[in-house]
Amino acid sequence: TFSAVSSANISENAGVLLTGSSLAASSAASLVLAAETNGIEDDADADITIAGNASFTANGAGGAITIGDDANNVDAFGTLTFKSAGAVSISEDDAMVVAGTNTADTLVLTSAGSVTDSGDTSVIIDNDADITGTGISLSDSADVLTVSGNANFDGTADNITIGAAGAASFGSLTFKTTAGDVNITEDSSTLLTGSSTGTSLVLVSAAAITDDATADVAITNNANVSGTSITIGDVGDNNDTFGTLTFNSAGDVSISED
């Protein structure tokens, strides 16, 4: 537990367990919390409020970062930075703004508000990433967003935007919003997997767009897809529906709709 008028910089040689109410409350206040071995976690009573940037680093091999995983936790950060060779799971009780250089083996980010990033943010995930918020807007400036496994974006009932201005690359892609628009630009080939939904879709790939056997895409209004080639709905298990369909490709296009 800590309390600071300005900034808190804490490094612990072992793992870190946060408990009770921790606060760095001035407008410029920040937190730098590092575990030199093992990971960082909180108990059911832990609440963390950081007005500025909250930076969590787990330096140990495989050290995980787990913040806000209990329903009783109340956590709020001005901006968020994480670095870990292991799994990172962070839940925030207001809007989440990712900043700086961020790394993890796997990533789960959950926000009670929107999920955005500040300028020049880098997020590099070795395996899967699940990001949930009431609207998602990432890679909208000179940002880097790399997920080597599946990138799963859940905007709940709001928009999902992965912008063209940044550099975004995913092993595979899944997106979900019940009432929002989806606009995703990927700077590599795009592989759709799992169940993806949206009110409208703009999907732009720097290479081919394909889907695997688990992929189902349901778009209420227009689905606009662009890639060097496009293959959607080519497996019998696929279930794809679009209000209207627009496609743009210099190569072959094969789209099957149910």
Side-chain angles (χ1 to χ4, degrees):
T1 304
F2 59 87
S3 179
V5 174
S6 57
S7 298
N9 191 323
I10 302 168
S11 179
E12 188 167 342
N13 288 329
V16 175
L17 174 63
L18 295 166
T19 187
S21 181
S22 296
L23 176 68
S26 74
S27 60
S30 62
L31 168 67
V32 177
L33 181 60
E36 298 304 322
T37 59
N38 298 319
I40 299 172
E41 59 182 334
D42 57 358
D43 67 14
D45 296 324
D47 301 325
I48 309 169
T49 302
I50 308 297
N53 178 253
S55 176
F56 301 95
T57 300
N59 289 319
I65 300 171
T66 306
I67 303 291
D69 58 320
D70 191 278
N72 291 326
N73 297 141
V74 178
D75 301 305
F77 319 119
T79 59
L80 172 67
T81 304
F82 53 85
K83 299 181 182 71
S84 174
V88 172
S89 176
I90 298 174
S91 179
E92 187 169 353
D93 292 278
D94 60 358
M96 179 181 288
V97 181
V98 182
T101 300
N102 303 270
T103 58
D105 179 55
T106 62
L107 175 66
V108 177
L109 294 180
T110 305
S111 172
S114 61
V115 179
T116 61
D117 56 6
S118 61
D120 298 321
T121 296
S122 172
V123 179
I124 299 177
I125 309 303
D126 292 337
N127 288 293
D128 296 343
D130 290 280
I131 300 175
T132 301
T134 58
I136 298 170
S137 180
L138 300 171
S139 192
D140 53 354
S141 59
D143 306 314
V144 175
L145 176 59
T146 301
V147 179
S148 296
N150 177 248
N152 182 14
F153 301 102
D154 188 342
T156 59
D158 216 319
N159 298 337
I160 300 171
T161 302
I162 309 299
S169 179
F170 318 120
S172 62
L173 173 66
T174 309
F175 52 85
K176 301 180 186 72
T177 174
T178 58
D181 299 321
V182 179
N183 191 321
I184 297 176
T185 298
E186 185 171 1
D187 294 278
S188 60
S189 60
T190 298
L191 172 63
L192 296 169
T193 188
S195 177
S196 295
T197 60
T199 299
S200 68
L201 171 65
V202 176
L203 179 61
V204 179
S205 175
I209 297 175
T210 58
D211 58 358
D212 68 12
T214 69
D216 299 324
V217 183
I219 305 300
T220 306
N221 296 320
N222 180 250
N224 188 326
V225 291
S226 301
T228 57
S229 64
I230 302 169
T231 306
I232 295 175
D234 59 319
V235 179
D237 291 335
N238 296 142
N239 187 359
D240 302 305
T241 58
F242 318 114
T244 59
L245 175 65
T246 305
F247 54 86
N248 183 15
S249 176
D252 297 333
V253 175
S254 175
I255 299 174
S256 178
E257 186 172 357
D258 295 279

